[in-house]
Amino acid sequence: MIVQLKAKIKYRKHQMNNKFYEEFARKVLLIPSDHYKLKNKLEVLSGKESLTISMSVDLSKNIAEFGEEDNVFNRISVGSTLSKQEFQSHVFDIYFAIQLSYPGLIDFSNINFYLNNVEYGYYYNKLINPTFFSVEFLEEDMSFYYQDIAFDDVWEWLMGLEDYWIETPRTSLGRAINYLRYVFFEASPMSVYWSFMAVESLMVTNQSFSKSQIQGKTKALTDYYKYDEIQQNKINSLYKFRSKIAHGQQVFYRPILQHNALKDVERIDLEIDSAGRLTHVILLMGIQYLILNKIYCLEFNEIIKYELIL
């Protein structure tokens, strides 16, 4: 029995990028399976404002690892369920890779899932774009800190990262990637905290000096990319905001607003968006550095300088 899965995705684009459309005119990806002997083969087709992702699994040959080969019921019933779960996970994998490859280019807005051409699921909440690319209400556009990397290079790097493909990561990079995954789904002010956790997991090795480490390592990354240096007072404000959340001192508005035009709401929104975008910029610089250099550990030489006080 062949199970055919398909996702029809509407996306919202924030800017034009011909490289993206050329890369995704037609793309075939092979992904290791958690349950089957063969790799999952996904086909991705790009339309004007949509993506179609397809996957087929032959349950008569591609048997689940825990199943019995002579148990047809197990292959069909359990196999169909596992196929749907894996497929939905892979759709997100592709979205995640796009965000590392073309930061802030698109959001997935609606996703319809089909099993053998029958719709079985509908994801109606848009995946959150952590670049906070809508800058019309923000004081500063930080998109010049983003750069495009060929999707195939990002995908190859992810394929080599074992922690990406397991449920509970074992390394600091794996933890950072998992925290970033939550950012895409957390449609609340607390999404910014997942970004904080990801940055600290990636960059902090001594919790007693976490802020100074993030300041120094962020400067090293901006120097590497030849970007404008991120001012120290911005890192200080970011860390103050993070600490207020961690210690229950940050004020948030209630989840269901009746008066969303209040100045207090606008002020809090600006704080969240500014902190979220800055944190994501730092995180993105670190992860893209790893991808560009084809490595999986972000390491720095720490230099302490002492001067005489005259």
Side-chain angles (χ1 to χ4, degrees):
M1 175 181 178
I2 297 178
V3 173
Q4 296 180 329
L5 297 123
K6 183 179 293 185
K8 294 182 178 179
I9 304 161
K10 292 182 180 179
Y11 64 78
R12 180 181 59 172
K13 60 181 179 291
H14 296 284
Q15 57 179 321
M16 295 298 295
N17 189 313
N18 290 332
K19 286 169 57 181
F20 171 81
Y21 299 114
E22 290 170 4
E23 274 209 87
F24 281 89
R26 178 181 174 84
K27 186 171 289 294
V28 176
L29 302 171
L30 295 176
I31 306 180
S33 172
D34 287 337
H35 304 290
Y36 301 103
K37 293 179 179 179
L38 304 178
K39 290 183 178 180
N40 291 321
K41 179 181 177 181
L42 278 79
E43 296 188 18
V44 186
L45 297 174
S46 175
K48 190 174 182 181
E49 294 183 350
S50 64
L51 285 176
T52 300
I53 302 175
S54 304
M55 181 178 88
S56 297
V57 179
D58 188 344
L59 298 180
S60 63
K61 298 178 181 179
N62 199 13
I63 303 165
E65 290 183 359
F66 61 84
E68 298 176 8
E69 294 195 15
D70 58 347
N71 190 332
V72 176
F73 177 79
N74 183 72
R75 288 202 298 267
I76 294 176
S77 61
V78 178
S80 297
T81 300
L82 292 176
S83 297
K84 290 193 292 185
Q85 292 174 350
E86 280 202 344
F87 180 65
Q88 289 174 220
S89 176
H90 293 334
V91 168
F92 176 78
D93 292 332
I94 292 171
Y95 177 78
F96 188 86
I98 289 173
Q99 292 304 324
L100 295 180
S101 179
Y102 298 99
L105 179 64
I106 64 171
D107 285 324
F108 284 8
S109 53
N110 299 328
I111 308 175
N112 296 77
F113 290 100
Y114 298 86
L115 174 66
N116 296 330
N117 294 320
V118 177
E119 184 174 350
Y120 72 87
Y122 177 66
Y123 189 87
Y124 58 90
N125 291 321
K126 78 178 183 70
L127 293 174
I128 308 302
N129 192 327
T131 52
F132 300 98
F133 207 80
S134 297
V135 299
E136 57 267 37
F137 300 113
L138 300 177
E139 295 178 353
E140 182 180 5
D141 178 10
M142 299 189 72
S143 59
F144 53 83
Y145 287 104
Y146 308 146
Q147 66 170 304
D148 296 341
I149 302 176
F151 180 90
D152 288 345
D153 292 341
V154 173
W155 193 255
E156 181 182 359
W157 183 81
L158 286 174
M159 291 296 292
L161 177 59
E162 182 182 356
D163 265 8
Y164 184 82
W165 304 100
I166 61 178
E167 298 297 336
T168 52
R170 304 182 183 95
T171 65
S172 58
L173 174 58
R175 291 195 301 272
I177 292 290
N178 253 15
Y179 294 147
L180 181 55
R181 280 169 156 156
Y182 278 99
V183 173
F184 290 98
F185 288 100
E186 183 67 67
S188 83
M190 286 304 294
S191 64
V192 69
Y193 203 68
W194 289 111
S195 292
F196 290 146
M197 293 166 64
V199 167
E200 291 193 343
S201 180
L202 188 65
M203 300 179 114
V204 174
T205 55
N206 186 335
Q207 291 296 330
S208 299
F209 306 99
S210 56
K211 183 172 72 172
S212 61
Q213 287 180 81
I214 290 174
Q215 287 175 339
K217 292 175 182 180
T218 297
K219 185 181 185 309
L221 286 167
T222 54
D223 289 347
Y224 171 81
Y225 290 110
K226 296 182 172 57
Y227 293 157
D228 292 341
E229 183 178 344
I230 296 174
Q231 297 173 3
Q232 184 171 329
N233 67 317
K234 290 186 176 181
I235 304 292
N236 290 337
S237 297
L238 180 65
Y239 228 76
K240 183 179 179 181
F241 185 72
R242 172 250 185 230
S243 297
K244 287 171 69 176
I245 295 176
H247 298 292
Q249 297 175 344
Q250 175 62 40
V251 176
F252 289 127
Y253 42 78
R254 61 186 179 182
I256 300 176
L257 287 171
Q258 295 187 51
H259 308 287
N260 61 1
L262 296 176
K263 287 187 176 180
D264 284 346
V265 173
E266 182 181 359
R267 175 182 56 79
I268 294 170
D269 261 343
L270 183 60
E271 285 182 329
I272 295 168
D273 287 351
S274 297
R277 292 176 71 245
L278 177 56
T279 308
H280 189 69
V281 159
I282 296 170
L283 183 61
L284 191 63
M285 285 194 297
I287 294 177
Q288 287 196 329
Y289 173 85
L290 296 174
I291 296 169
L292 290 168
N293 290 280
K294 300 181 179 181
I295 56 177
Y296 295 95
C297 184
L298 190 63
E299 296 180 304
F300 298 84
N301 287 323
E302 294 185 348
I303 302 172
I304 301 175
K305 183 179 180 181
Y306 294 94
E307 294 180 348
L308 289 170
I309 300 176
L310 301 179

